[in-house]
Amino acid sequence: MAKKNNKGWIIVHRQILDSEIWNAEDPFSFRDAWIDLLLRVNHADRGLILKNGTRITVDRGQHWTSMRTLATRWKWGNKKVLKYLDLLQKLEMISVKKSKDGTLITITNYDFYQDLKNAGRNAPRNAGRNAGENALDNAGGNATDNGTTALSTTHYRTNEEIKEPAGSDDSFYED
């Protein structure tokens, strides 16, 4: 069996969210939903005014949303969204703060995994050279300044560390 290389980076432009493939009619898989969260979190702190007039700051690595919005985007039921977010929390991949005004999702260690200084030898040195200037060179060490997300292929936790949630069964996958 070939050795897996689970280290390094790929660069994914947020424009992928506008593609026909990304917006296909079929429901998202768990992997699709995870990448969707990574693409939707802020790459820089941003102010937001809620419907009730309250101003909040959504930090880098965070996404303000609602369960209903995620269910619609991912073409899932609300119950499946809640179970999925609970699973991501148990795996220490996200934290979730819910309020009557919405839900704040924070990607765990976002800055570490999205900062090219932490990529070491695995940083994409020649990415984008054929298309002109390298976005990473122009981003001041932050690959997301221009709408590009550098996704680390380093796992947050290894498959061996992931345990089936207590009391889980096939109903997890049902809406």
Side-chain angles (χ1 to χ4, degrees):
M1 182 184 304
K3 182 181 174 185
K4 290 184 179 181
N5 182 3
N6 291 331
K7 294 186 176 16
W9 294 77
I10 63 169
I11 298 174
V12 179
H13 197 281
R14 292 175 194 267
Q15 193 172 13
I16 192 174
L17 298 171
D18 297 328
S19 74
E20 291 177 15
I21 296 294
W22 194 259
N23 292 301
E25 293 296 319
D26 55 323
F28 277 42
S29 69
F30 283 7
R31 288 180 203 99
D32 296 337
W34 173 240
I35 298 299
D36 190 60
L37 286 174
L38 291 174
L39 289 168
R40 296 213 170 263
V41 297
N42 289 351
H43 65 276
D45 295 356
R46 178 174 79 102
L48 181 66
I49 298 175
L50 303 179
K51 290 178 184 176
N52 68 9
T54 304
R55 185 184 184 283
I56 64 170
T57 300
V58 181
D59 295 332
R60 173 177 159 82
Q62 295 182 322
H63 179 53
W64 182 262
T65 190
S66 70
M67 294 296 130
R68 182 179 301 153
T69 299
L70 293 176
T72 300
R73 281 197 51 69
W74 297 342
K75 299 166 188 77
W76 294 355
N78 290 333
K79 183 177 175 184
K80 185 173 180 178
V81 171
L82 287 170
K83 286 183 175 185
Y84 180 66
L85 294 179
D86 285 344
L87 175 64
L88 292 179
Q89 287 183 92
K90 288 176 185 170
L91 296 175
E92 300 174 4
M93 296 169 75
I94 65 169
S95 63
V96 176
K97 291 183 182 175
K98 299 175 188 172
S99 77
K100 62 181 175 66
D101 299 312
T103 301
L104 182 67
I105 298 174
T106 303
I107 304 294
T108 305
N109 297 322
Y110 181 84
D111 282 330
F112 177 81
Y113 288 107
Q114 296 303 312
D115 189 338
L116 292 180
K117 294 174 197 162
N118 295 323
R121 296 189 316 237
N122 296 322
R125 290 173 183 75
N126 296 317
R129 293 283 185 212
N130 294 335
E133 287 296 315
N134 184 346
L136 300 175
D137 292 343
N138 294 327
N142 179 351
T144 59
D145 285 348
N146 64 354
T148 302
T149 298
L151 299 174
S152 171
T153 56
T154 303
H155 292 287
Y156 286 80
R157 297 178 71 187
T158 65
N159 289 339
E160 291 77 29
E161 294 174 309
I162 297 172
K163 302 283 188 266
E164 192 70 21
S168 68
D169 56 28
D170 289 339
S171 67
F172 181 84
Y173 301 98
E174 299 171 2
D175 284 335

